[in-house]
Amino acid sequence: MEEESLIEKFDKILSNAKIYEYGKYPVKGCGIWLPYGFELRQNVLKIVREILYRTGHKEVLLPLLIPKDMLEKEAKHIAGFLEQVYWVTKGGTTRLDIELALRPTSETAMTHVFKDMISSYRDLPLKVFQIVSIFRYETEATRPMIRVREVTTFKEAFTFHESKEDAFKQFQEAYSIYSEIFDKLGIPYITPERPSWDRFPGAEITITFDTVLPDGKTLQIGSIHYLAQSFSKVFDAKFMKKDGSYDWLYMLSYGISERVIASLIIHYADEIGAVLLPSIAPIKIVVVPIFYEEYKNEVLNYAREIKDAIELAGYSVVIDDDPDKTPGEKFYEWERIGVPLRIEIGPKEMKESKVTLTDRLRRKKTVEKEKMFKEIKNMLNSLEIDLREKIKNEMFSRILKVKTTNELEKVLNDKKVAMFSICSDEKCGMKVNEMVKGAKFIGYDVKNKEKGNCIACGKETDKIGYLARKY
Amino acid sequence: MEEESLIEKFDKILSNAKIYEYGKYPVKGCGIWLPYGFELRQNVLKIVREILYRTGHKEVLLPLLIPKDMLEKEAKHIAGFLEQVYWVTKGGTTRLDIELALRPTSETAMTHVFKDMISSYRDLPLKVFQIVSIFRYETEATRPMIRVREVTTFKEAFTFHESKEDAFKQFQEAYSIYSEIFDKLGIPYITPERPSWDRFPGAEITITFDTVLPDGKTLQIGSIHYLAQSFSKVFDAKFMKKDGSYDWLYMLSYGISERVIASLIIHYADEIGAVLLPSIAPIKIVVVPIFYEEYKNEVLNYAREIKDAIELAGYSVVIDDDPDKTPGEKFYEWERIGVPLRIEIGPKEMKESKVTLTDRLRRKKTVEKEKMFKEIKNMLNSLEIDLREKIKNEMFSRILKVKTTNELEKVLNDKKVAMFSICSDEKCGMKVNEMVKGAKFIGYDVKNKEKGNCIACGKETDKIGYLARKY
């Protein structure tokens, strides 16, 4: 019930704000990025790309179709995806000789392609990524952006290394990159290392970035996998080392998807609709002229003058001069789509050469036209900072520290995530994993090294674990 | 034979320049965009997007999968694609209830999605586009970028209108947009209106942008279709008109693909390799220090100083300071990938505080360091202009005006396109269409209105037609 209400609310926000249309297209689990949402998506991807380029990742584009035998090469990998793969079996009216998978992820294709382009240690490390659609035939209930059958915004990075040490260094870099991306976007997160029974198929280490949504359930928004040589061995992807001998490539993969955009919208939304941070909002400012018959043209002219000046100053701004709507209707519409700042201009403002600014938290200020630019800057800045702070605090208030397993169920049922000391013994993890129906032990925090006694066996430990309900 | 040699040459250029890898991936007709090629692709798409945004087109993203019944709604449309559609029939190990097509084009999906978002004339015109992969199970021989099974770079625009007149106005705009795109990219073209038997499936009018490649064969690089109400009627996509009555939407679609990039590379290439226009080259300048043991460090330092200064001035520049390669090897490598300008720095340049500039046409100049920026700008400008002029002249020299049908075969066998006066009678077009084996009547030029006598019936006409071998 609670879960449904969060997703229902999310779906309504997406639809009201014309961000993403979900549920009407006649293929289950497939959504549509509408123009405003597409722009938001581009703003998010711009941040992702800039950081990846700066850190030496090159962008590529590989085929969507993966032949069955290629996908099947790594046994654990295919076992992990077998139930979720879409298969193309016909071309025109011809049955295909070999079935083609719609890529569920690209480890196999990437290994196949780049093994030929890496001959020696001189070509290493190689860091590539692509932003593409991936496909999963989800049998669980689908949800807009969060659990879809076509993930339309999958950023998957793949890196190739000459040694385990170098791969581990890259693991650190990937961790920093994702931290920077989520920090820049204003999405708070925790970073558990997944327990052995819950890793990416084919990986030796998996850490994830998880955010805790308002209903207390976690949403995985990023993951980093140390693949070791599992793919390079089955694809015989070898390179020449400095000493002239040969070895298989060490590999990592790391991915994020449109869940990043989902979590942004869900975290920041209020009872009216979307709330977009000024840093990523497609429209930063809306100018609303308030008509009274007597001054209609003067007010409209003044509003247009203001709008043009703001545009010249480099802000993306629109004016809503629709004569058929009341100011109240307009305020509501623009708030629903999450525009950070509204500028009202009525006869009073016009006569006094002023403007009235209202931010998305409804904080209001009337200033002289000359001081407008300074005030716009200030208000957008404070809004950015205050919203971020608010969401961060809210998210961390949804994580409760517990000392005994008895407390777990209550915490989970209070729509929170439980945090506790736990040792690295798999038995202890497994024990916690089975404590609360529907909840899972999501792993050991890679950052938090607080000392305590293991919740399961009582032994001293510096590990912190999490039990959570997951999306 | 001749055809193979052009494509073989093209394939070799792509591979040597590490633009696009074709033929090694184990799904026929699927290529890989390598980092350098991906950057070139982004530079081309940037131009496409800017022009579409400026002219009020909004970017969207629709699902890749189209259910069979949706695709089958428009009878002519599906008839045109039936042999070319890839079908997904299984999800995991489950047979799907309804087969899903990998989109071959998106008219049906777009009509389905946007009919709900358009209720009245106030919502019109609506202009959207997406840049996506489309799929065609090509049974003809596939060729890199030109005839592939996954077209990875398909820009498809769709517009919705309240009247035929408004749709026709949009037809003009689409024509201007494509002209501007190809002009900006430096691709010369002709614009035939396709004869009735060679239109896009479901369209009432189709005009194309075709370029004539060095082997005299035409490559279609863009097309604009007037769809009238053919899709809106079968999807019952109605809107309210100003007078309160209802009508079906009028629609256009227009598309371009990675063939644009193929034609750029093919037209401009020389015997060494790729030649990229400065306006779209991912790397504009390469600095090559020329080592002599005695001055090695000084030369290297000077070269690095020059490189940094050029970078600061805003050019994308690289330095090739590999000590294991000769200058000649370096020159060759950077020429093969099409870098417009090379700067050589040897002991002489260092001692005299000079630099030696060589453009991709091997025009050389040595200038004082202080005059370097001005010279770089000049040389890149002239290179841009001279290359464009050269390619335009070359392409139009491949089109020969003929007066009688007797001349057609000779012209086509001379690796040229034949141009002639022709009347609008379908019989005359059909007659020419069957004149030369392997060649096709590609249509009536929409721009060229030169008067003459129809090549087939002798009647006076202001239409010009083309007979060509096509890719």
Side-chain angles (χ1 to χ4, degrees):
Chain A
M1 272 308 286
E2 287 300 331
E3 174 197 326
E4 275 315 293
S5 73
L6 182 81
I7 296 295
E8 273 169 22
K9 187 184 159 197
F10 174 49
D11 197 9
K12 208 172 286 169
I13 291 165
L14 291 178
S15 161
N16 287 338
K18 296 198 169 65
I19 290 172
Y20 183 86
E21 148 73 41
Y22 191 76
K24 284 189 196 160
Y25 190 81
V27 179
K28 196 187 164 191
C30 291
I32 288 142
W33 288 94
L34 297 171
Y36 182 66
F38 192 87
E39 227 180 306
L40 175 63
R41 178 181 179 269
Q42 290 291 76
N43 290 351
V44 169
L45 288 179
K46 198 169 168 244
I47 289 172
V48 172
R49 279 196 165 103
E50 272 171 7
I51 296 174
L52 288 168
Y53 290 162
R54 198 193 66 218
T55 50
H57 295 70
K58 308 275 186 188
E59 194 162 358
V60 298
L61 188 54
L62 265 62
L64 179 110
L65 299 170
I66 300 181
K68 195 173 186 185
D69 50 357
M70 188 190 276
L71 196 63
E72 281 177 346
K73 272 202 171 171
E74 217 281 336
K76 276 185 217 153
H77 188 63
I78 185 66
F81 285 108
L82 205 55
E83 288 301 316
Q84 296 198 332
V85 172
Y86 273 111
W87 293 105
V88 177
T89 62
K90 281 195 304 181
T93 49
T94 310
R95 181 148 295 276
L96 300 179
D97 291 339
I98 182 145
E99 295 189 348
L100 301 171
L102 304 191
R103 67 177 153 233
T105 176
S106 303
E107 279 73 11
T108 55
M110 286 280 172
T111 313
H112 174 87
V113 167
F114 287 99
K115 71 171 182 170
D116 284 342
M117 300 188 193
I118 299 165
S119 55
S120 91
Y121 68 94
R122 282 188 206 92
D123 304 319
L124 297 171
L126 180 70
K127 306 191 262 183
V128 296
F129 75 100
Q130 61 179 3
I131 299 175
V132 293
S133 278
I134 58 163
F135 291 82
R136 307 272 169 95
Y137 182 68
E138 293 285 353
T139 46
E140 291 180 58
T142 57
R143 317 197 176 298
M145 287 193 210
I146 286 177
R147 189 169 295 280
V148 284
R149 290 185 170 181
E150 177 176 5
V151 181
T152 57
T153 315
F154 194 57
K155 190 285 296 164
E156 38 177 7
F158 299 85
T159 63
F160 302 86
H161 306 274
E162 61 181 277
S163 65
K164 194 170 169 171
E165 294 69 48
D166 195 50
F168 275 37
K169 243 187 270 167
Q170 191 59 35
F171 208 97
Q172 281 306 317
E173 185 184 91
Y175 183 87
S176 303
I177 287 170
Y178 279 9
S179 303
E180 188 180 344
I181 288 173
F182 297 129
D183 289 346
K184 221 163 204 162
L185 290 171
I187 305 171
Y189 54 85
I190 52 172
T191 52
E193 181 184 334
R194 292 289 185 202
S196 56
W197 60 86
D198 195 21
R199 284 181 198 138
F200 180 74
E204 286 190 9
I205 305 170
T206 288
I207 74 162
T208 61
F209 286 70
D210 296 79
T211 195
V212 186
L213 296 182
D215 60 359
K217 293 172 76 172
T218 58
L219 181 68
Q220 181 183 316
I221 50 173
S223 56
I224 308 175
H225 314 293
Y226 171 58
L227 305 173
Q229 296 174 313
S230 55
F231 288 89
S232 60
K233 278 185 180 167
V234 298
F235 283 91
D236 199 27
K238 279 187 176 167
F239 72 102
M240 197 187 71
K241 298 207 288 185
K242 277 199 190 80
D243 64 9
S245 69
Y246 285 82
D247 196 3
W248 289 286
L249 292 160
Y250 291 83
M251 287 174 61
L252 295 184
S253 69
Y254 32 106
I256 56 177
S257 74
E258 59 226 26
R259 282 182 167 195
V260 168
I261 302 167
S263 71
L264 259 177
I265 295 169
I266 294 174
H267 273 307
Y268 284 84
D270 63 12
E271 59 294 340
I272 298 158
V275 179
L276 300 180
L277 286 170
S279 53
I280 55 150
I283 302 168
K284 312 272 185 253
I285 300 166
V286 58
V287 174
V288 180
I290 298 171
F291 300 127
Y292 290 94
E293 217 30 75
E294 198 186 345
Y295 301 104
K296 192 172 163 177
N297 284 331
E298 289 101 312
V299 166
L300 202 51
N301 286 339
Y302 182 52
R304 284 182 185 147
E305 178 203 314
I306 295 291
K307 184 247 176 189
D308 291 346
I310 295 172
E311 195 153 49
L312 260 178
Y315 293 97
S316 65
V317 54
V318 294
I319 184 165
D320 186 351
D321 52 10
D322 187 336
D324 295 336
K325 283 180 196 155
T326 67
E329 284 172 318
K330 291 178 188 176
F331 295 173
Y332 182 63
E333 268 179 32
W334 294 101
E335 282 184 356
R336 283 214 298 193
I337 75 163
V339 173
L341 199 64
R342 171 175 84 228
I343 301 186
E344 293 158 45
I345 288 167
K348 193 166 158 17
E349 279 85 359
M350 180 202 63
K351 282 180 200 156
E352 296 173 2
S353 256
K354 289 185 173 170
V355 294
T356 298
L357 307 149
T358 308
D359 78 7
R360 188 59 183 74
L361 288 170
R362 298 208 168 166
R363 297 181 296 199
K364 215 170 179 133
K365 218 164 196 179
T366 300
V367 297
E368 283 149 42
K369 198 176 83 176
E370 287 69 35
K371 293 184 181 151
M372 170 177 78
F373 293 112
K374 203 179 157 213
E375 202 50 48
I376 287 173
K377 207 179 155 193
N378 283 344
M379 283 181 82
L380 288 175
N381 271 348
S382 330
L383 184 66
E384 180 88 28
I385 292 166
D386 297 344
L387 284 173
R388 282 168 178 266
E389 192 62 19
K390 175 171 173 277
I391 295 313
K392 199 174 176 181
N393 291 338
E394 282 176 12
M395 192 203 87
F396 283 104
S397 77
R398 290 178 203 122
I399 303 173
L400 264 200
K401 185 84 181 273
V402 301
K403 295 253 179 211
T404 67
T405 50
N406 296 336
E407 302 165 71
L408 290 173
E409 190 152 8
K410 187 178 173 325
V411 167
L412 270 291
N413 290 345
D414 278 355
K415 301 200 283 182
K416 297 218 160 32
V417 168
M419 177 173 130
F420 39 80
S421 292
I422 187 163
C423 74
S424 55
D425 192 334
E426 188 173 327
K427 271 186 236 142
C428 294
M430 286 296 269
K431 188 179 166 193
V432 172
N433 193 43
E434 284 151 16
M435 293 292 305
V436 181
K437 206 177 158 240
K440 279 185 176 162
F441 175 62
I442 61 170
Y444 313 93
D445 202 295
V446 295
K447 232 169 35 180
N448 193 336
K449 299 289 173 202
E450 205 183 313
K451 282 199 174 126
N453 294 96
C454 175
I455 196 170
C457 71
K459 258 189 279 184
E460 202 171 285
T461 175
D462 67 350
K463 287 192 182 302
I464 295 287
Y466 298 99
L467 186 73
R469 292 208 165 88
K470 291 169 65 177
Y471 270 105
Chain B
M1 273 307 287
E2 286 300 332
E3 175 198 324
E4 275 315 294
S5 74
L6 182 81
I7 296 296
E8 272 169 22
K9 188 184 159 197
F10 174 48
D11 198 10
K12 208 173 285 169
I13 291 165
L14 291 178
S15 162
N16 287 339
K18 295 196 170 64
I19 290 172
Y20 184 86
E21 149 72 42
Y22 191 76
K24 285 190 196 158
Y25 191 80
V27 178
K28 196 186 163 191
C30 291
I32 288 141
W33 288 95
L34 297 171
Y36 182 67
F38 193 88
E39 226 179 308
L40 175 63
R41 177 181 179 271
Q42 290 293 75
N43 290 351
V44 169
L45 288 179
K46 197 168 169 245
I47 290 172
V48 172
R49 278 196 167 103
E50 273 170 6
I51 296 174
L52 287 169
Y53 290 162
R54 198 193 67 217
T55 49
H57 295 70
K58 307 276 184 185
E59 194 162 358
V60 297
L61 188 55
L62 265 63
L64 179 109
L65 299 170
I66 300 181
K68 196 173 185 186
D69 50 356
M70 188 191 273
L71 197 63
E72 282 176 346
K73 272 202 170 172
E74 218 280 336
K76 276 185 217 154
H77 188 63
I78 184 66
F81 285 106
L82 205 55
E83 287 301 316
Q84 297 198 332
V85 172
Y86 273 111
W87 293 104
V88 176
T89 62
K90 281 195 303 181
T93 49
T94 310
R95 181 150 294 278
L96 300 179
D97 291 339
I98 182 148
E99 295 189 349
L100 302 171
L102 305 191
R103 67 177 152 233
T105 176
S106 303
E107 278 73 12
T108 56
M110 286 280 173
T111 313
H112 174 86
V113 167
F114 287 99
K115 72 171 181 169
D116 284 341
M117 300 188 194
I118 299 165
S119 57
S120 90
Y121 69 93
R122 283 187 206 93
D123 304 319
L124 297 172
L126 180 70
K127 308 192 260 182
V128 296
F129 76 101
Q130 60 179 3
I131 300 175
V132 293
S133 278
I134 57 163
F135 292 81
R136 307 272 170 95
Y137 182 69
E138 292 286 353
T139 47
E140 290 180 57
T142 57
R143 316 194 177 303
M145 287 192 211
I146 286 177
R147 187 170 297 278
V148 284
R149 288 185 171 182
E150 178 176 5
V151 181
T152 57
T153 315
F154 194 57
K155 189 287 296 165
E156 39 177 6
F158 299 85
T159 64
F160 302 86
H161 306 274
E162 62 181 275
S163 65
K164 194 170 169 170
E165 294 68 48
D166 195 49
F168 275 37
K169 244 188 267 166
Q170 191 59 35
F171 207 97
Q172 281 306 316
E173 185 185 91
Y175 183 85
S176 303
I177 287 171
Y178 279 10
S179 302
E180 188 179 344
I181 289 174
F182 297 129
D183 289 346
K184 218 160 204 165
L185 290 171
I187 305 171
Y189 54 86
I190 52 172
T191 52
E193 180 182 335
R194 293 289 185 201
S196 56
W197 59 87
D198 195 21
R199 284 181 198 139
F200 179 75
E204 287 190 8
I205 306 170
T206 288
I207 74 162
T208 61
F209 285 70
D210 297 78
T211 194
V212 186
L213 296 183
D215 60 359
K217 292 172 76 173
T218 58
L219 181 68
Q220 182 182 316
I221 50 172
S223 56
I224 307 175
H225 314 294
Y226 171 58
L227 305 174
Q229 297 175 312
S230 55
F231 288 90
S232 61
K233 277 185 180 168
V234 298
F235 282 91
D236 199 26
K238 279 187 176 168
F239 72 101
M240 195 185 73
K241 299 207 286 186
K242 276 197 191 81
D243 65 9
S245 68
Y246 285 80
D247 196 3
W248 290 285
L249 293 160
Y250 291 83
M251 287 175 60
L252 294 185
S253 69
Y254 31 106
I256 56 176
S257 75
E258 58 227 27
R259 282 183 167 194
V260 168
I261 302 167
S263 71
L264 259 176
I265 295 168
I266 293 175
H267 273 307
Y268 285 85
D270 64 11
E271 59 295 338
I272 297 158
V275 179
L276 300 180
L277 286 170
S279 54
I280 55 149
I283 303 169
K284 312 272 186 252
I285 301 166
V286 57
V287 174
V288 180
I290 298 171
F291 299 127
Y292 289 93
E293 217 31 73
E294 196 185 346
Y295 301 105
K296 191 172 166 180
N297 285 332
E298 290 102 310
V299 166
L300 201 51
N301 286 339
Y302 182 54
R304 283 180 186 150
E305 178 202 314
I306 295 292
K307 184 249 176 190
D308 290 346
I310 295 172
E311 195 154 48
L312 261 177
Y315 293 97
S316 64
V317 55
V318 294
I319 183 165
D320 186 350
D321 52 10
D322 187 336
D324 295 337
K325 284 179 195 156
T326 66
E329 285 172 316
K330 291 178 189 178
F331 295 173
Y332 181 64
E333 267 179 33
W334 294 101
E335 282 184 357
R336 282 214 299 193
I337 75 163
V339 173
L341 199 64
R342 172 174 84 227
I343 302 186
E344 294 158 43
I345 287 167
K348 194 167 161 13
E349 279 85 1
M350 182 202 62
K351 282 182 202 157
E352 296 173 3
S353 256
K354 288 184 174 171
V355 295
T356 298
L357 307 149
T358 308
D359 77 7
R360 189 58 182 77
L361 289 170
R362 299 209 167 166
R363 299 181 295 198
K364 215 171 178 134
K365 218 163 196 180
T366 299
V367 297
E368 283 148 43
K369 198 176 82 175
E370 287 69 35
K371 293 184 182 151
M372 171 177 77
F373 294 111
K374 204 179 156 213
E375 202 51 48
I376 287 173
K377 207 178 155 194
N378 283 344
M379 283 182 82
L380 288 175
N381 271 349
S382 329
L383 184 67
E384 180 88 28
I385 292 165
D386 296 345
L387 284 173
R388 282 168 178 266
E389 192 62 19
K390 175 172 173 276
I391 295 313
K392 197 172 175 181
N393 291 338
E394 281 176 13
M395 191 202 88
F396 283 105
S397 76
R398 291 180 203 121
I399 302 172
L400 265 199
K401 185 85 183 272
V402 300
K403 296 253 178 211
T404 67
T405 50
N406 296 336
E407 303 165 70
L408 290 173
E409 189 152 6
K410 187 177 173 326
V411 167
L412 270 291
N413 290 344
D414 278 356
K415 301 201 282 182
K416 297 219 160 35
V417 167
M419 178 173 129
F420 39 80
S421 291
I422 186 162
C423 74
S424 54
D425 192 333
E426 187 174 326
K427 271 185 237 146
C428 294
M430 284 298 267
K431 187 180 168 192
V432 172
N433 192 44
E434 283 150 18
M435 293 292 305
V436 181
K437 205 176 158 241
K440 278 184 177 164
F441 175 61
I442 61 170
Y444 313 92
D445 202 293
V446 295
K447 232 169 35 181
N448 194 336
K449 299 288 173 202
E450 207 184 310
K451 283 201 174 124
N453 294 95
C454 175
I455 196 172
C457 71
K459 256 188 282 184
E460 201 172 284
T461 175
D462 66 351
K463 286 193 183 304
I464 294 286
Y466 297 98
L467 186 73
R469 292 208 165 87
K470 290 169 66 178
Y471 271 103

